Amino acid sequence: MRKPPSPAQNHPAPAATPVSGRRRLIDYPRRGRAGLRRWLPSWRLLLGSSLMCLGALSGLFAILYARIDIPDENAAARQEANVYYWADGSQLVSVGEVDRQIVRLDQIPVSVQNSVVAAENASFYSDSGVSVTGLARAGVNMARGQDAQGGSTITQQYVKNTYLTQEQTYTRKLKEFFISLKLSRQKSKGEVLQGYLNTSWFGRGANGIQAAAAAYYGIPAKDINPSQAAMLASLLKGADQYDPALSTANHKRAVERWSWILDRQVEVGLMSASERAKYRVFPEPKRQSMSTSMAGQTGYLVAVADNYIRKSIGLTAKDLARGGYQIHTTFEKDKVERLQQAVKEVTGAAIDPKKRAADRYVEVGAASVRPKDGAIVALYGGADATKHFTNNADTSGVPVGSVFKPFVLAAYFQGVLGDKSGSIPAMAEGAPELPVLESALVTSSHGPFVRLGKTVGWTRIRDTAVKSGLAPSSMAPLEQTFSIGTSTPSAIRMADAYATFANDGMQTDPYSVTRILKGGKPLGGLDRPRSRLALEPKTVGVVNEVLHGVARTNGTKTVDAASASVATGDNDRTKSAWFVGYSPDLSTAVTLFRNKPGKSLLPLQGVGGDDSARGNVFPPRIWARFMGGAGDFSLNRRPPILAVPAPAPGPEQSRGLTEPASPTEPASPTEP
């Protein structure tokens, strides 16, 4: 008999309740929820997540802020150009890889500052130096492959220009943000704005507001007016798009942005409406930027100035290459241009290398010095400094010939006059008579001056020439031909030495720089050369009277001058032609020669045609055009004494000159 089932068998045990185990830190997906509700986070989860993210970001921000330091300035941000100025203070040229001249904020008009702030960052004076929205926008732009710069503050742009590279990366943009934050705590707004204005790119090769003012308007930054300031500020958006001279479309954009910047200043309270109303005409910039080219005479002028700086205050070429110097020169723009034009007119009309082989390799050098203080006011170093690198005005190697003879006379009279009266004394025993010497100056005859050289002594002649202004290194060996001009001084030194005759015997070494500034502060040590008595006034008076006698012989009224050629070689083949002349205000030397690179001087025979007197006619023609004189220099005869208007009578009355050698004059047996 079967047993009845037990209660346990009739009623199975209920299922075990799941063990919850540990409580989850984050209840997500949500437990006990089904469907969509299971995946919707609770408010606790949202709050907690937000706080965690905020904490993580804050921690990351703190770490990045602590680890990203303000780096040293870029070398490019510190690099400036050397700026050279004409004697009148206008800019001659800006030289350097970077066209920049740093200026202080107090040298930049408030209108420039306001224009830039209004255009680039209206909240500049109140913001923290960064723009979070700008950073986000930059990230989006980079993701799209676009320019990352949009929305940056002035501080951020300054940081990019000065401390970072121009690369478009997330890392660079992040560094820019944190460095800007730190910088805004360390620098004043004025310092940041000054740095920004000195490092920004304005196009036309101009870095910084000073270079931009010169490039677009030919003026220093301090002279920019509010209308010009708005135009320059528009270039910060992109000079290739807003330089009005580049295209019609550019011009239209520039005018619109110029007008907007002026209106914007009124809108943000940086300009009054009445002031804005004054500027209705777009300030057209000049079509070309300030040239930094060394072409033409510019390279020669800069070379002479640099050479003077190195010798005067010890700045090396490396020092100058670092840039940042403002160099004020003695060069007068109108005289430099007039001298260059004189050379072009004279040589262009007669020298034709395609027509005559003798006209090839013809070179001209010239310099003009102010007698009263030795300032070099003009020079001609060659046709183009970028093509002919040797400065013909400042190089030795060209024999000076008969223009050296006045120094022989000066040495003689300096020795025999002593305390005697200023009248011409009797010549020493063995010396040629004065009429003979005057005739020798007219004809460039060498014999009488060879004999006078022996009487005076070559050492005394050399010392007299050097005291008058010629460089000792240019003096020829002391031998029989020394007194007829075998020395090879530069045109600058010849002009300076003849200036001693124009200045009653007072000599001043030639100089080309009046002052140098670095960071707006003058450098010390650049003292102008001092004048000294090189020749007794009585000696100068007698030498000038002899030269004046030469002029009287030819029946002309002239400024003091001497011209000559020097012949070398057995066949009297002329190698150089000179003309040196002076008035009380200006002493000018001109030389012409032929110089093939790697060769010695070539003969001048046939230069300019058979009637050119072996090239002798050209230096006096150049001199005459430059000095404003007039004369008949027809090629069918030997050049006459140069005739120019006579000055008023008195102690500064013009005196005389010597002529070029005759092309038919036989070679002196004592010539080299």
Side-chain angles (χ1 to χ4, degrees):
M1 183 175 175
R2 298 181 60 186
K3 292 181 179 181
S6 64
Q9 291 176 325
N10 293 330
H11 303 281
T17 302
V19 179
S20 63
R22 286 185 177 182
R23 185 176 181 179
R24 290 188 299 174
L25 180 63
I26 300 176
D27 184 21
Y28 192 82
R30 297 178 68 182
R31 185 175 55 182
R33 299 289 190 272
L36 180 62
R37 295 183 62 190
R38 178 177 174 81
W39 298 101
L40 289 175
S42 67
W43 67 269
R44 292 185 181 87
L45 180 61
L46 287 175
L47 178 61
S49 298
S50 299
L51 291 174
M52 288 179 63
C53 289
L54 183 61
L57 289 174
S58 297
L60 179 62
F61 183 93
I63 293 171
L64 291 175
Y65 187 87
R67 298 187 65 175
I68 298 178
D69 294 323
I70 299 176
D72 293 334
E73 292 183 359
N74 294 328
R78 297 191 301 268
Q79 188 174 356
E80 299 179 66
N82 289 328
V83 185
Y84 297 78
Y85 298 90
W86 294 104
D88 64 3
S90 60
Q91 185 168 317
L92 163 60
V93 70
S94 175
V95 178
E97 292 183 6
V98 177
D99 183 10
R100 177 190 291 119
Q101 305 97 56
I102 294 175
V103 290
R104 300 188 309 272
L105 193 63
D106 60 12
Q107 297 174 307
I108 303 172
V110 173
S111 62
V112 174
Q113 302 174 41
N114 289 344
S115 292
V116 170
V117 169
E120 297 294 305
N121 182 189
S123 64
F124 169 71
Y125 291 108
S126 60
D127 64 31
S128 61
V130 297
S131 169
V132 176
T133 57
L135 179 64
R137 188 183 304 116
V140 173
N141 288 343
M142 283 188 289
R144 295 175 177 176
Q146 299 173 357
D147 187 357
Q149 184 51 58
S152 293
T153 65
I154 283 177
T155 306
Q156 288 176 266
Q157 293 181 57
Y158 168 55
V159 166
K160 183 188 69 172
N161 294 342
T162 307
Y163 301 101
L164 301 172
T165 66
Q166 301 297 311
E167 63 180 345
Q168 300 288 346
T169 65
Y170 294 104
T171 301
R172 197 275 294 164
K173 195 67 182 175
L174 200 62
K175 286 182 178 180
E176 173 193 300
F177 183 88
F178 283 99
I179 293 172
S180 298
L181 272 177
K182 283 190 172 183
L183 196 72
S184 65
R185 295 169 63 97
Q186 297 182 14
K187 289 181 179 287
S188 68
K189 291 293 185 179
E191 290 174 314
V192 171
L193 185 57
Q194 173 180 295
Y196 175 67
L197 289 171
N198 278 309
T199 58
S200 294
W201 170 252
F202 287 85
R204 297 193 181 188
N207 290 271
I209 190 63
Q210 180 81 341
Y216 287 88
Y217 292 107
I219 57 176
K222 65 182 180 62
D223 294 336
I224 297 172
N225 64 42
S227 183
Q228 294 168 333
M231 202 295 293
L232 292 175
S234 71
L235 298 167
L236 295 170
K237 192 172 178 63
D240 57 339
Q241 297 293 313
Y242 289 88
D243 182 345
L246 295 181
S247 67
T248 302
N250 268 30
H251 191 279
K252 183 176 183 295
R253 281 190 292 266
V255 172
E256 290 175 350
R257 187 157 179 82
W258 161 80
S259 181
W260 177 83
I261 290 174
L262 290 170
D263 291 339
R264 178 67 171 163
Q265 290 180 72
V266 176
E267 180 183 339
V268 298
L270 294 175
M271 178 183 284
S272 67
S274 59
E275 176 75 5
R276 167 65 181 94
K278 297 177 183 178
Y279 311 115
R280 296 299 180 188
V281 178
F282 181 69
E284 297 287 351
K286 61 180 186 177
R287 295 200 61 81
Q288 293 184 335
S289 64
M290 177 63 67
S291 173
T292 58
S293 170
M294 299 291 277
Q297 298 307 300
T298 302
Y300 304 124
L301 297 170
V302 168
V304 168
D306 285 352
N307 188 48
Y308 181 76
I309 291 169
R310 289 193 293 267
K311 291 181 178 179
S312 298
I313 61 176
L315 283 180
T316 65
K318 186 177 181 180
D319 293 330
L320 287 169
R322 292 191 182 101
Y325 296 97
Q326 295 83 52
I327 300 165
H328 293 260
T329 74
T330 60
F331 307 130
E332 298 181 16
K333 185 177 182 180
D334 61 330
K335 289 184 174 63
V336 171
E337 292 176 347
R338 193 164 78 228
L339 182 56
Q340 178 175 256
Q341 188 62 28
V343 174
K344 287 183 177 180
E345 288 178 358
V346 171
T347 58
I351 306 297
D352 187 352
K354 296 181 180 179
K355 182 178 180 180
R356 285 181 294 271
D359 287 356
R360 297 171 187 168
Y361 310 113
V362 171
E363 296 290 342
V364 174
S368 193
V369 169
R370 193 163 56 219
K372 66 179 181 180
D373 64 354
I376 304 171
V377 298
L379 60 83
Y380 181 87
D384 189 332
T386 63
K387 299 176 182 177
H388 175 73
F389 305 109
T390 301
N391 189 341
N392 296 339
D394 193 32
T395 186
S396 60
V398 181
V400 75
S402 291
V403 292
F404 186 80
K405 292 173 182 176
F407 304 114
V408 181
L409 290 176
Y412 174 76
F413 292 130
Q414 189 87 335
V416 301
L417 276 174
D419 295 328
K420 299 177 183 179
S421 67
S423 60
I424 297 178
M427 302 300 289
E429 184 177 352
E433 295 294 328
L434 275 175
V436 175
L437 291 175
E438 289 184 5
S439 176
L441 286 172
V442 172
T443 63
S444 274
S445 178
H446 296 325
F449 279 90
V450 171
R451 296 197 299 274
L452 184 60
K454 291 179 180 178
T455 301
V456 176
W458 302 321
T459 299
R460 177 176 290 177
I461 295 171
R462 179 198 61 196
D463 293 345
T464 299
V466 170
K467 286 181 180 178
S468 298
L470 300 186
S473 60
S474 68
M475 293 294 99
L478 300 182
E479 55 191 20
Q480 182 167 270
T481 55
F482 179 76
S483 59
I484 59 173
T486 52
S487 296
T488 58
S490 67
I492 290 175
R493 283 290 182 170
M494 281 304 298
D496 183 72
Y498 265 71
T500 302
F501 295 136
N503 200 31
D504 294 325
M506 297 297 295
Q507 189 273 335
T508 310
D509 287 340
Y511 73 101
S512 56
V513 177
T514 58
R515 61 191 178 112
I516 308 174
L517 292 86
K518 177 82 169 181
K521 298 180 179 179
L523 294 187
L526 189 69
D527 299 324
R528 296 189 186 184
R530 294 184 177 180
S531 298
R532 58 187 177 84
L533 185 66
L535 300 173
E536 292 291 337
K538 291 181 292 187
T539 297
V540 174
V542 171
V543 172
N544 286 330
E545 185 63 26
V546 171
L547 295 178
H548 189 49
V550 174
R552 284 197 301 267
T553 300
N554 289 270
T556 61
K557 295 179 179 179
T558 70
V559 293
D560 298 306
S563 63
S565 63
V566 61
T568 58
D570 295 335
N571 299 318
D572 190 25
R573 304 181 73 193
T574 302
K575 297 293 183 71
S576 62
W578 283 82
F579 192 94
V580 187
Y582 60 90
S583 71
D585 300 319
L586 213 56
S587 177
T588 303
V590 182
T591 182
L592 180 142
F593 54 94
R594 293 179 69 211
N595 185 29
K596 184 177 181 179
K599 303 287 185 180
S600 58
L601 294 181
L602 301 175
L604 294 180
Q605 190 71 34
V607 169
D610 295 335
D611 296 327
S612 72
R614 295 174 296 186
N616 285 354
V617 297
F618 302 122
R621 287 178 175 176
I622 294 169
W623 188 93
R625 279 167 172 75
F626 170 67
M627 295 288 281
D632 179 10
F633 295 103
S634 58
L635 288 174
N636 60 3
R637 62 185 180 87
R638 190 174 68 184
I641 296 297
L642 180 64
V644 297
E652 293 186 342
Q653 184 172 357
S654 297
R655 287 132 182 166
L657 76 164
T658 62
E659 273 193 310
S662 167
T664 59
E665 179 190 351
S668 167
T670 60
E671 285 185 289

